[in-house]
Structure formats: structure tokens, C-alpha cells
Amino acid sequence: MTGTRRRRIGIIGAGWVSAYHLPAWMRQSERAEVVAIADPSPNAIAARLTAFDVARHYASAQAMLDAEQLDAVDICAPREFHVELVRLAAAKDLDIICQKPLAPSYAEAVELLAGLSGAGRLMIHENWRFRAYYRRLKAWLDEGLAGQIRQVQFEFLSSGMIADAEGNRPALVRQPFFRTQERLLVMEVMIHHLDTLRYLLGEMEVVSARLERSNRDIVAEDVASVVLRQLSDGVLVIVNANLAVHGAPPAPRDHLRIFGTRGTLELSGNLLSAEGAQQCRESFDSDEIYQGAYNATIAHFLDSLDGKAAMETSPDDNIKTLALVEDIYRLSRFDPERNPL
């Protein structure tokens, strides 16, 4: 990009998540302009064009890439199309930001990256680590509020997979595609937390994992118990995630506790606190946090393209998160057919 010309952005995928990507792009209007959007669903396209000012739309990514003079694409399509779409955009030498996961499996991601060529840069849209309370928590860790870390516990609990009086499961009403995902909780949700824990604590390995399925309306796991170990000092990180917990809210909330020699750092929903040598407490607005993470991720992508910041979720970094995901599936040996309800 030369001079003050705004980057021309094409959106690939007009589904659920694009409703959060587009406002983030609109906030960057001085640096970038979404000029086109592509999706095979006329209804999905119509919904986005009603809410956002996008000049042109296409029924396929290939048609958009052939017709438009773009600088970058934002891939918001389902995960099973990521490999194909990244290759299409890379062949045009475009810069790419691609929703997580980069590929449906670690092996497919490795193969994709090994075969990529061209001048474009690639970033994975892993937005959880950009949530404001995790950025603040990282600063507290760097400032030494916890001291030497002894233990870490993380919980992500929801009642979204428990059927209501009408037989509806809130998690499936909100995101119907959960029904057919062959890799659900870990690949779709916990991947965020694994990436964030890496961001906060450094590199880890999977010690043990157990996955379960709570109901027959889904084909994959919605319960996970995982033990991770920090590579630097051996600290254990215990992760429990469950979308079928009686008494939990339908919308899950992160609960992270870091126990250290100088203090305990805790994130409970939108409240971040430190107890010990230093005491701090900070509350965050849930709506601002959610959209704000998308805003910050898109801003970081542009900053990295402009040379203002090192790209945090580059392929070299993100492949380490995918490796943890793959190890969890491998060690759990989860097979819903072998372990029916």
C-alpha cells in the first residue's frame, strides 16, 4: 500500500461471525474499506447488506477475487473451507486474516502452510487473547503481581446444552452448526482458551485429556477435562469445560485463577482481581468486551501490515495452539460411536 490509500478489503463469508467482523472493519475506515462480500447464500448476503454499507457482493469467493482489485481478504467462512480459501487468496498475493481454526486439523494446517507461496501475509483471527481483561491480566503478570506461578485453574461452564421445557438446547439455537461439527468443544471453543493460556503463561504440553458427549443432538464432544504443563517450569494448568452444567448460565463465562507466591489473580466473568501483596479489582462491560475483541484483532492485523506491531497470531504462533488441540483429541481417544449415551 502506498501513500494514504485505504486498503481494499473483501469479506469471504456472510454468516454469523461476519456480523462482528464488519463493525470492526468500519471502525478502521481511515485505513481500510470493505468493498465487497462473497457468500453463496443470498439470505446471508442480504442480511449483511441491510446492516452494513458494502458496495458489491458475489456468490463465490473466486468470483470476487477475479472481479475486484483487493489488498486483503477477511475469511469468515466455516472452518471446512479455510484451506481452499486461503490458497485462493494467497494465489492472488493478497494479505489474509482467517477466522480460527486455520484448518480442520493440525495436519491439514501444516500441509497448507508448507505449500503457501506469494507475497501476501497471513494472520489467524484468534480474538480471545485480545479481550481487554486478558490484556490487563497479561500486564499484571508481567508486573509480577502473582510472583512465581504455582498452579493454574481454568473453568468454562454453561448450561447451553441442557434442553429447556420445549426441548430446545440454547447453545444449538444460538449456533445451529454445533449439531454437525465432528470436533466441537475443543476445536470450536476451547481453542480460544488454549491460545489465551499460551499468550498469558507461555508454551505448554498436554499431559492428559478426557472428552465426553452429553446428548444425542450433537455428534461430538461438549465436555472436556484437560491437564496441561508449562514447558518452562512444569506448572500444571487444569482446564475444565462443560456445556451441560445444571445451574450454570446458558452463556458461558471464563473463570481463571492463577495462584502465585505473591498473589492470586482471578478472572470471574467480567471481574478481574488480584489478592496478595498488591490488591486490584477491575470490572469490564460484557458487550464492550465481546465486540471489542473483534475490533482489537482487526486493528492489530492492520497494525502488523503497517509495520507498527509484530503479528501475534501469525501461522508460526497459531500452529502451536493447533498442536495442543490435536494432542487433546489424540490423548482422549474420544469416539462417540464407541461410547454411546
Side-chain angles (χ1 to χ4, degrees):
M1 188 176 71
T2 60
T4 59
R5 183 175 66 85
R6 292 186 296 171
R7 283 186 169 85
R8 295 168 56 87
I9 310 299
I11 304 288
I12 302 176
W16 174 82
V17 78
S18 68
Y20 299 98
H21 283 240
L22 279 161
W25 283 111
M26 300 309 168
R27 291 175 64 90
Q28 299 296 324
S29 58
E30 292 185 359
R31 295 197 286 174
E33 177 187 10
V34 176
V35 298
I37 187 167
D39 194 291
S41 168
N43 291 337
I45 288 284
R48 296 297 164 255
L49 296 183
T50 298
F52 302 98
D53 183 18
V54 180
R56 290 171 294 282
H57 59 90
Y58 299 86
S60 72
Q62 186 68 68
M64 181 179 74
L65 295 177
D66 288 343
E68 299 285 342
Q69 294 295 316
L70 301 173
D71 298 297
V73 294
D74 183 358
I75 298 175
C76 303
R79 75 173 86 139
E80 55 265 31
F81 301 110
H82 288 181
V83 169
E84 171 192 355
L85 294 171
V86 167
R87 285 177 175 151
L88 283 176
K92 298 281 188 177
D93 290 332
L94 299 177
D95 293 321
I96 305 163
I97 182 168
C98 178
Q99 252 295 338
K100 63 81 199 165
L102 179 59
S105 70
Y106 174 79
E108 290 170 279
V110 169
E111 181 182 7
L112 168 64
L113 296 176
L116 283 185
S117 60
R121 291 154 288 184
L122 171 62
M123 174 174 150
I124 291 76
H125 190 292
E126 180 46 86
N127 66 72
W128 221 271
R129 66 162 69 192
F130 288 98
R131 292 188 168 196
Y133 43 59
Y134 281 126
R135 307 307 275 197
R136 184 81 79 250
L137 179 54
K138 175 64 171 174
W140 286 4
L141 287 168
D142 291 345
E143 292 165 14
L145 268 65
Q148 184 178 354
I149 298 173
R150 299 296 195 196
Q151 294 176 308
V152 179
Q153 294 182 1
F154 181 89
E155 288 185 335
F156 184 80
L157 308 179
S158 162
S159 60
M161 285 294 184
I162 297 176
D164 59 21
E166 287 74 40
N168 297 315
R169 304 184 191 276
L172 301 182
V173 173
R174 182 171 183 263
Q175 293 176 294
F177 70 93
F178 276 14
R179 292 179 179 273
T180 56
Q181 290 294 341
E182 296 182 357
R183 289 182 164 190
L184 180 51
L185 178 58
V186 180
M187 181 62 90
E188 187 63 33
V189 183
M190 266 184 62
I191 188 172
H192 289 303
H193 306 123
L194 294 169
D195 182 77
T196 300
L197 289 169
R198 287 185 51 246
Y199 163 69
L200 293 171
L201 305 170
E203 299 308 328
M204 297 176 288
E205 63 181 351
V206 182
V207 177
S208 65
R210 178 179 173 84
L211 305 180
E212 301 176 53
R213 180 179 61 152
S214 73
N215 67 84
R216 295 184 185 279
D217 289 341
I218 55 178
V219 298
E221 82 287 352
D222 62 343
V223 180
S225 299
V226 178
V227 178
L228 304 154
R229 179 167 49 218
Q230 277 186 297
L231 296 182
S232 60
D233 52 20
V235 169
L236 294 182
V237 180
I238 311 300
V239 180
N240 286 308
N242 190 329
L243 304 184
V245 176
H246 291 276
R253 292 150 45 101
D254 291 2
H255 187 195
L256 172 63
R257 287 176 291 176
I258 300 173
F259 306 108
T261 56
R262 298 189 71 245
T264 296
L265 308 185
E266 181 174 10
L267 173 69
S268 181
N270 295 314
L271 179 64
L272 184 63
S273 63
E275 300 290 343
Q278 290 181 253
Q279 294 190 351
C280 305
R281 186 174 293 263
E282 190 167 350
S283 182
F284 297 81
D285 179 85
S286 58
D287 290 337
E288 291 180 4
I289 284 290
Y290 196 85
Q291 180 61 53
Y294 289 89
N295 298 344
T297 305
I298 295 297
H300 178 73
F301 176 59
L302 291 173
D303 285 344
S304 66
L305 297 185
D306 291 339
K308 297 178 180 178
M311 187 179 287
E312 287 190 23
T313 53
S314 66
D316 287 344
D317 178 89
N318 190 254
I319 200 71
K320 297 174 184 176
T321 299
L322 273 176
L324 294 178
V325 169
E326 199 66 35
D327 279 346
I328 289 171
Y329 284 113
R330 177 177 58 83
L331 291 173
S332 73
R333 298 180 180 177
F334 174 72
D335 183 352
E337 297 305 320
R338 191 179 62 216
N339 301 287
L341 294 171

